[in-house]
Structures are given as structure tokens and as C-alpha cells.
């Protein structure tokens, strides 16, 4: 079974930590449309996954441990970092559309 896409992994991390708006799940976000986000596919998957975990921790926890902050600092200049931060922001502010399978981005 293939590994989930990078956008899907971002959405899953946010859902797992309760960082999506009420009524929104990773499934509602329609992650496939975000796979072409510039820079998202750049760099090794292992680095992306480590950066994703660190960034979500830093965003989620008000009293985050120093190791998560240091891990994010290692990856914040990675080629995928800007796309990662953008999609975290988009997914965290997306509303579930009533009766729809996809979320609606809030501007």
C-alpha cells in the first residue's frame, strides 16, 4: 500500500492533534488538490516527516519541549518548509461545507 501523500499526511497530523476546525476531518480537506503546491514535493520524505511532526508540535503546544523547537529550526529552511507552513495554515482554517465532501478555505 503506497504511503499517503504529503498533503494527506499534514491533514492527518492536524486531525490527530485536534487542530482542525469543528466538523472538519482530514477526509474533508480534499488533499489531492494541494499536491502541486510549489515546494511540497521537494526534499527527502524522511526529512519532511520529521519537519511535519516538529512544526505541528510547535504550533499545537503552548509549552512545547525544546527538542521539537530545535527539530523545526533544523528544517525551517528546507525546500518544502514554506509549503508545509502554508498548508498547515490553510487546513487549520478550512471549514467543512454543509453536505459536501470537501472543506471550504476561509480567507
Amino acid at each position: 500500500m503506497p504511503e499517503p501523500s504529503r498533503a494527506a499526511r499534514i491533514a492527518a497530523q492536524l486531525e490527530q492533534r485536534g487542530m482542525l476546525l469543528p466538523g472538519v476531518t482530514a477526509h474533508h480537506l480534499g488533499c489531492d488538490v494541494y499536491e502541486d503546491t510549489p515546494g511540497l514535493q521537494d526534499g527527502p520524505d524522511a526529512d519532511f516527516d520529521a519537519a511535519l511532526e516538529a512544526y505541528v508540535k510547535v504550533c499545537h503546544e503552548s509549552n512545547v519541549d525544546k527538542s521539537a523547537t530545535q527539530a523545526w529550526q533544523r528544517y525551517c529552511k528546507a525546500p518544502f518548509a514554506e509549503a508545509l507552513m502554508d498548508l498547515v495554515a490553510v487546513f487549520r482554517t478550512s471549514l467543512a461545507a454543509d453536505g459536501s465532501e470537501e472543506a471550504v478555505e476561509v480567507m
Side-chain angles (χ1 to χ4, degrees), residues 40-60:
L40 184 62
Q41 303 305 324
D42 296 345
D45 274 344
D47 288 353
F48 177 83
D49 290 336
L52 171 59
E53 183 175 340
Y55 185 64
V56 170
K57 276 185 183 179
V58 168
C59 290
H60 181 256

Side-chain angles (χ1 to χ4, degrees), residues 42-92:
D42 296 345
D45 274 344
D47 288 353
F48 177 83
D49 290 336
L52 171 59
E53 183 175 340
Y55 185 64
V56 170
K57 276 185 183 179
V58 168
C59 290
H60 181 256
E61 299 173 18
S62 60
N63 206 9
V64 68
D65 63 71
K66 192 174 184 176
S67 65
T69 303
Q70 289 172 335
W72 173 243
Q73 287 173 340
R74 274 194 305 276
Y75 296 110
C76 70
K77 299 291 184 191
F80 53 73
E82 188 172 335
L84 168 60
M85 292 184 291
D86 287 348
L87 288 183
V88 166
V90 167
F91 291 167
R92 288 185 73 186

